[in-house]
Protein backbone atom coordinates (compact mmCIF):
# COMPACT_ATOMS: atom_id res chain seq x y z
CA UNK A 1 0.00 0.00 0.00
CA UNK A 2 1.33 3.43 -0.96
CA UNK A 3 0.26 7.02 -0.50
CA UNK A 4 -1.06 8.36 -3.80
CA UNK A 5 -1.84 11.92 -4.87
CA UNK A 6 -4.17 12.45 -7.83
CA UNK A 7 -4.47 15.96 -9.25
CA UNK A 8 -7.75 16.79 -10.97
CA UNK A 9 -9.21 14.10 -8.70
CA UNK A 10 -12.59 15.80 -8.21
CA UNK A 11 -13.92 15.09 -11.70
CA UNK A 12 -13.86 12.77 -14.69
CA UNK A 13 -10.66 10.84 -15.30
CA UNK A 14 -8.91 11.96 -12.10
CA UNK A 15 -11.90 10.96 -9.96
CA UNK A 16 -11.97 7.48 -11.55
CA UNK A 17 -8.22 7.10 -10.99
CA UNK A 18 -8.57 8.10 -7.32
CA UNK A 19 -11.37 5.57 -6.80
CA UNK A 20 -9.45 2.80 -8.56
CA UNK A 21 -6.22 3.37 -6.62
CA UNK A 22 -8.21 3.39 -3.37
CA UNK A 23 -9.92 0.12 -4.29
CA UNK A 24 -6.47 -1.33 -5.05
CA UNK A 25 -5.58 -0.58 -1.41
CA UNK A 26 -3.64 2.66 -1.68
CA UNK A 27 -4.20 5.67 0.60
CA UNK A 28 -5.41 8.28 -1.86
CA UNK A 29 -5.53 12.06 -1.62
CA UNK A 30 -6.96 14.29 -4.33
CA UNK A 31 -5.88 17.80 -5.22
CA UNK A 32 -8.25 19.94 -7.26
CA UNK A 33 -10.01 23.31 -7.42
CA UNK A 34 -13.05 21.53 -5.94
CA UNK A 35 -13.46 18.89 -3.24
CA UNK A 36 -13.67 15.27 -4.37
CA UNK A 37 -15.74 12.47 -2.86
CA UNK A 38 -12.56 10.97 -1.36
CA UNK A 39 -11.92 11.27 2.40
CA UNK A 40 -8.60 13.06 1.80
CA UNK A 41 -9.48 15.92 -0.53
CA UNK A 42 -7.27 18.99 -0.81
CA UNK A 43 -8.08 22.26 -2.53
CA UNK A 44 -5.27 23.75 -4.58
CA UNK A 45 -4.62 25.32 -7.95
CA UNK A 46 -1.88 23.42 -9.79
CA UNK A 47 -0.54 26.70 -11.19
CA UNK A 48 0.09 28.11 -7.70
CA UNK A 49 3.29 26.71 -6.23
CA UNK A 50 2.58 27.91 -2.70
CA UNK A 51 -0.79 26.15 -2.69
CA UNK A 52 0.77 22.99 -4.12
CA UNK A 53 3.59 22.93 -1.57
CA UNK A 54 1.06 23.44 1.24
CA UNK A 55 -1.24 20.67 -0.04
CA UNK A 56 1.62 18.22 -0.62
CA UNK A 57 2.94 18.97 2.88
CA UNK A 58 -0.52 18.34 4.34
CA UNK A 59 -0.87 15.01 2.49
CA UNK A 60 2.60 13.98 3.68
CA UNK A 61 1.70 14.82 7.29
CA UNK A 62 -1.68 13.04 7.13
CA UNK A 63 -0.80 9.94 5.12
CA UNK A 64 3.00 9.66 5.07
CA UNK A 65 5.44 10.13 2.18
CA UNK A 66 3.84 10.19 -1.25
CA UNK A 67 4.86 7.30 -3.52
CA UNK A 68 2.41 7.72 -6.39
CA UNK A 69 1.58 10.90 -8.29
CA UNK A 70 -0.97 11.05 -11.08
CA UNK A 71 -1.08 14.41 -12.85
CA UNK A 72 -4.62 14.53 -14.27
CA UNK A 73 -5.65 18.17 -13.69
CA UNK A 74 -6.16 19.89 -17.00
CA UNK A 75 -8.21 22.30 -19.06
CA UNK A 76 -8.89 22.27 -22.77
CA UNK A 77 -9.25 25.21 -25.10
CA UNK A 78 -10.45 25.87 -28.63
CA UNK A 79 -9.31 28.87 -30.66
CA UNK A 80 -8.02 29.43 -34.18
CA UNK A 81 -4.26 29.93 -33.82
CA UNK A 82 -4.28 33.45 -35.28
CA UNK A 83 -7.04 34.44 -32.82
CA UNK A 84 -5.12 33.22 -29.77
CA UNK A 85 -3.91 35.94 -27.45
CA UNK A 86 -0.59 35.28 -25.78
CA UNK A 87 -2.47 35.45 -22.45
CA UNK A 88 -4.82 32.61 -23.49
CA UNK A 89 -1.87 30.57 -24.83
CA UNK A 90 -0.14 31.02 -21.47
CA UNK A 91 -3.25 30.17 -19.44
CA UNK A 92 -3.62 26.78 -21.14
CA UNK A 93 0.10 25.99 -20.89
CA UNK A 94 0.13 27.13 -17.28
CA UNK A 95 -2.40 24.52 -16.13
CA UNK A 96 -1.54 21.63 -18.45
CA UNK A 97 2.26 21.88 -18.41
CA UNK A 98 3.40 24.14 -15.57
CA UNK A 99 0.92 22.40 -13.25
CA UNK A 100 2.74 19.12 -13.94
CA UNK A 101 6.08 20.85 -13.26
CA UNK A 102 4.93 22.19 -9.87
CA UNK A 103 3.24 19.02 -8.63
CA UNK A 104 6.06 16.75 -9.77
CA UNK A 105 8.77 18.93 -8.22
CA UNK A 106 6.79 19.15 -4.99
CA UNK A 107 6.34 15.37 -4.69
CA UNK A 108 9.70 14.05 -5.98
CA UNK A 109 11.61 14.54 -2.68
CA UNK A 110 9.21 12.06 -0.99
CA UNK A 111 9.83 9.52 -3.76
CA UNK A 112 13.61 10.00 -3.75
CA UNK A 113 13.55 9.57 0.04
CA UNK A 114 11.74 6.22 -0.34
CA UNK A 115 13.88 5.11 -3.32
CA UNK A 116 10.52 4.24 -4.91
CA UNK A 117 8.04 6.23 -6.92
CA UNK A 118 5.49 6.10 -9.70
CA UNK A 119 4.46 9.13 -11.73
CA UNK A 120 1.76 8.96 -14.41
CA UNK A 121 1.03 12.04 -16.50
CA UNK A 122 -2.33 12.22 -18.25
CA UNK A 123 -1.49 13.87 -21.57
CA UNK A 124 -3.74 13.58 -24.64
CA UNK A 125 -4.09 11.64 -27.88
CA UNK A 126 -4.25 15.05 -29.57
CA UNK A 127 -0.50 15.24 -28.95
CA UNK A 128 -0.14 12.15 -31.16
CA UNK A 129 -2.43 13.34 -33.95
CA UNK A 130 -2.47 17.14 -33.71
CA UNK A 131 -5.82 18.91 -33.45
CA UNK A 132 -7.01 22.04 -35.23
CA UNK A 133 -7.96 24.97 -32.96
CA UNK A 134 -6.15 23.34 -30.03
CA UNK A 135 -2.56 24.41 -30.74
CA UNK A 136 -2.01 25.71 -27.19
CA UNK A 137 -3.44 22.55 -25.60
CA UNK A 138 -1.61 20.20 -27.98
CA UNK A 139 1.66 22.08 -27.44
CA UNK A 140 1.26 21.70 -23.66
CA UNK A 141 0.32 18.01 -23.81
CA UNK A 142 3.19 17.26 -26.24
CA UNK A 143 5.55 18.92 -23.79
CA UNK A 144 4.15 16.71 -21.02
CA UNK A 145 5.03 13.63 -23.09
CA UNK A 146 8.58 14.97 -23.56
CA UNK A 147 8.90 15.85 -19.88
CA UNK A 148 7.79 12.30 -19.05
CA UNK A 149 10.65 10.81 -21.08
CA UNK A 150 13.31 13.11 -19.61
CA UNK A 151 12.19 12.53 -16.02
CA UNK A 152 12.16 8.75 -16.60
CA UNK A 153 15.85 8.89 -17.53
CA UNK A 154 16.75 11.29 -14.74
CA UNK A 155 14.98 9.48 -11.89
CA UNK A 156 15.19 5.83 -12.98
CA UNK A 157 18.28 5.39 -10.77
CA UNK A 158 16.17 6.54 -7.78
CA UNK A 159 13.63 3.74 -8.26
CA UNK A 160 11.07 6.10 -9.80
CA UNK A 161 9.19 5.35 -13.01
CA UNK A 162 7.56 8.09 -15.07
CA UNK A 163 5.04 7.29 -17.79
CA UNK A 164 2.30 9.09 -19.68
CA UNK A 165 -1.21 8.00 -20.60
CA UNK A 166 -2.67 10.01 -23.47
CA UNK A 167 -6.43 9.39 -23.46
CA UNK A 168 -8.53 9.37 -26.61
CA UNK A 169 -12.16 10.53 -26.31
CA UNK A 170 -13.25 9.79 -22.75
CA UNK A 171 -16.78 10.44 -21.56
CA UNK A 172 -16.26 13.13 -18.90
CA UNK A 173 -17.69 16.59 -18.20
CA UNK A 174 -14.82 18.04 -20.30
CA UNK A 175 -15.82 15.97 -23.36
CA UNK A 176 -19.57 16.64 -23.01
CA UNK A 177 -18.91 20.38 -22.67
CA UNK A 178 -16.92 20.27 -25.93
CA UNK A 179 -19.76 18.35 -27.61
CA UNK A 180 -22.34 20.93 -26.45
CA UNK A 181 -20.19 23.71 -27.87
CA UNK A 182 -19.88 21.85 -31.23
CA UNK A 183 -16.11 21.58 -30.88
CA UNK A 184 -15.72 17.88 -31.56
CA UNK A 185 -16.35 18.06 -35.30
CA UNK A 186 -19.52 16.01 -34.66
CA UNK A 187 -21.24 14.30 -31.76
CA UNK A 188 -19.91 11.66 -29.39
CA UNK A 189 -21.97 9.16 -31.46
CA UNK A 190 -20.00 10.24 -34.57
CA UNK A 191 -16.75 9.68 -32.70
CA UNK A 192 -17.90 6.19 -31.70
CA UNK A 193 -18.55 5.34 -35.36
CA UNK A 194 -14.93 6.34 -36.18
CA UNK A 195 -13.42 4.44 -33.22
CA UNK A 196 -12.16 0.90 -34.00
CA UNK A 197 -13.57 -0.62 -30.77
CA UNK A 198 -16.90 1.21 -31.41
CA UNK A 199 -17.46 2.86 -28.06
CA UNK A 200 -16.46 6.04 -26.28
CA UNK A 201 -13.76 5.70 -23.64
CA UNK A 202 -14.71 5.57 -19.99
CA UNK A 203 -12.74 7.22 -17.17
CA UNK A 204 -12.30 3.69 -15.78
CA UNK A 205 -10.34 2.74 -18.94
CA UNK A 206 -7.73 5.35 -18.06
CA UNK A 207 -7.83 4.37 -14.39
CA UNK A 208 -7.06 0.73 -15.32
CA UNK A 209 -3.95 1.78 -17.27
CA UNK A 210 -2.82 3.96 -14.35
CA UNK A 211 -3.42 1.17 -11.86
CA UNK A 212 -1.07 -1.06 -13.85
CA UNK A 213 1.61 1.61 -14.35
CA UNK A 214 1.77 2.37 -10.61
CA UNK A 215 1.92 -1.31 -9.64
CA UNK A 216 5.03 -3.30 -8.67
CA UNK A 217 4.52 -5.32 -11.86
CA UNK A 218 5.24 -2.22 -13.97
CA UNK A 219 8.63 -1.50 -12.38
CA UNK A 220 10.51 -2.13 -15.66
CA UNK A 221 8.24 0.19 -17.67
CA UNK A 222 9.34 3.81 -17.72
CA UNK A 223 9.46 6.70 -20.17
CA UNK A 224 6.57 5.18 -22.11
CA UNK A 225 3.53 6.80 -23.67
CA UNK A 226 0.66 4.30 -23.30
CA UNK A 227 -2.21 5.34 -25.57
CA UNK A 228 -5.71 4.43 -24.32
CA UNK A 229 -7.93 5.44 -27.22
CA UNK A 230 -9.94 2.50 -28.58
CA UNK A 231 -7.52 2.18 -31.50
CA UNK A 232 -7.97 5.68 -32.92
CA UNK A 233 -4.26 6.43 -32.59
CA UNK A 234 -1.80 3.61 -33.20
P1 LIG B 1 -12.57 17.22 -16.14
O1 LIG B 1 -13.73 16.34 -15.89
O2 LIG B 1 -12.80 18.67 -16.48
O3 LIG B 1 -11.56 17.11 -14.90
C1 LIG B 1 -10.41 17.91 -14.80
C2 LIG B 1 -10.28 18.35 -13.36
O4 LIG B 1 -9.09 19.18 -13.25
C3 LIG B 1 -11.48 19.21 -12.92
O5 LIG B 1 -11.89 18.86 -11.63
C4 LIG B 1 -10.86 20.60 -12.97
O6 LIG B 1 -11.51 21.53 -12.12
C5 LIG B 1 -9.44 20.31 -12.49
N1 LIG B 1 -8.59 21.46 -12.74
C6 LIG B 1 -8.62 22.29 -13.81
N2 LIG B 1 -7.73 23.28 -13.65
C7 LIG B 1 -7.14 23.07 -12.44
C8 LIG B 1 -6.16 23.77 -11.70
N3 LIG B 1 -5.60 24.90 -12.17
N4 LIG B 1 -5.77 23.28 -10.50
C9 LIG B 1 -6.34 22.16 -10.01
N5 LIG B 1 -7.28 21.45 -10.66
C10 LIG B 1 -7.68 21.90 -11.85
O7 LIG B 1 -11.71 16.66 -17.35
P2 LIG B 1 -11.25 15.16 -17.72
O8 LIG B 1 -11.84 14.88 -19.04
O9 LIG B 1 -11.43 14.22 -16.58
O10 LIG B 1 -9.70 15.44 -17.95
C11 LIG B 1 -8.68 14.91 -17.10
C12 LIG B 1 -7.35 14.99 -17.85
O11 LIG B 1 -7.43 14.19 -19.03
C13 LIG B 1 -7.02 16.40 -18.32
O12 LIG B 1 -5.62 16.62 -18.16
C14 LIG B 1 -7.38 16.37 -19.79
O13 LIG B 1 -6.63 17.31 -20.53
C15 LIG B 1 -7.04 14.94 -20.15
N6 LIG B 1 -7.75 14.44 -21.35
C16 LIG B 1 -9.10 14.24 -21.35
C17 LIG B 1 -9.71 13.72 -22.50
C18 LIG B 1 -11.19 13.45 -22.57
O14 LIG B 1 -11.66 13.01 -23.63
N7 LIG B 1 -11.96 13.65 -21.52
C19 LIG B 1 -8.95 13.42 -23.62
C20 LIG B 1 -7.59 13.66 -23.58
C21 LIG B 1 -6.99 14.15 -22.44
P3 LIG B 1 -12.67 22.47 -12.78
O15 LIG B 1 -13.76 21.55 -13.22
O16 LIG B 1 -13.04 23.37 -11.64
O17 LIG B 1 -11.99 23.18 -13.92
Amino acid sequence: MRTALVTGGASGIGAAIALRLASDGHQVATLDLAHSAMPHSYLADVTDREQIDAAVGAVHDALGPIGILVNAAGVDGFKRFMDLTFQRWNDIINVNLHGVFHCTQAVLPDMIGQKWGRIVNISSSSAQSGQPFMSHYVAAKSAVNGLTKSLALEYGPDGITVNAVPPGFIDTPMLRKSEERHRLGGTVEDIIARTPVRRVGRPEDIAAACAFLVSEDAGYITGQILGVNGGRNT
Side-chain angles (χ1 to χ4, degrees):
M1 183 186 67
R2 303 280 178 176
T3 295
L5 179 62
V6 181
T7 77
S11 178
I13 290 170
I17 293 168
L19 271 178
R20 172 64 195 259
L21 297 187
S23 82
D24 286 352
H26 299 294
Q27 301 192 94
V28 180
T30 60
L31 184 158
D32 202 301
L33 296 173
H35 276 300
S36 72
M38 306 297 291
H40 298 280
S41 162
Y42 294 83
L43 295 183
D45 182 332
V46 295
T47 67
D48 185 322
R49 185 54 176 267
E50 273 183 30
Q51 290 184 23
I52 294 306
D53 284 342
V56 165
V59 174
H60 179 113
D61 291 347
L63 302 175
I66 298 168
I68 296 170
L69 171 66
V70 181
N71 285 303
V75 285
D76 62 7
F78 299 84
K79 207 56 150 177
R80 192 174 288 276
F81 179 68
M82 284 304 291
D83 295 335
L84 260 183
T85 61
F86 190 55
Q87 179 63 51
R88 186 65 187 144
W89 168 269
N90 270 327
D91 288 347
I92 292 290
I93 290 185
N94 211 9
V95 178
N96 292 297
L97 176 60
H98 299 164
V100 176
F101 169 87
H102 290 310
C103 295
T104 303
Q105 241 187 24
V107 166
L108 263 171
D110 269 5
M111 296 181 176
I112 293 167
Q114 296 172 89
K115 278 272 168 205
W116 192 96
R118 296 279 189 269
I119 299 173
V120 181
N121 295 323
I122 307 302
S123 57
S124 170
S125 64
S126 63
Q128 295 165 277
S129 60
Q131 193 66 31
F133 315 122
M134 295 188 85
S135 55
H136 44 357
Y137 178 81
V138 173
K141 292 297 192 178
S142 301
V144 167
N145 283 345
L147 174 66
T148 298
K149 292 183 185 219
S150 283
L151 292 180
L153 302 184
E154 211 170 310
Y155 291 99
D158 293 293
I160 299 165
T161 69
V162 190
N163 293 287
V165 174
F169 290 98
I170 308 297
D171 202 350
T172 67
M174 183 186 275
L175 185 74
R176 291 295 171 177
K177 233 179 279 166
S178 303
E179 183 187 39
E180 273 167 31
R181 294 177 185 162
H182 307 290
R183 284 165 170 167
L184 295 181
T187 62
V188 169
E189 285 307 311
D190 297 330
I191 287 168
I192 291 171
R194 294 197 298 267
T195 300
V197 304
R198 293 290 187 273
R199 69 170 173 85
V200 69
R202 294 186 279 263
E204 293 74 18
D205 294 319
I206 306 303
C210 284
F212 170 62
L213 288 172
V214 306
S215 70
E216 292 295 340
D217 282 348
Y220 203 57
I221 300 174
T222 193
Q224 303 304 307
I225 314 291
L226 176 60
V228 180
N229 53 50
R232 286 178 58 91
N233 304 86
T234 55

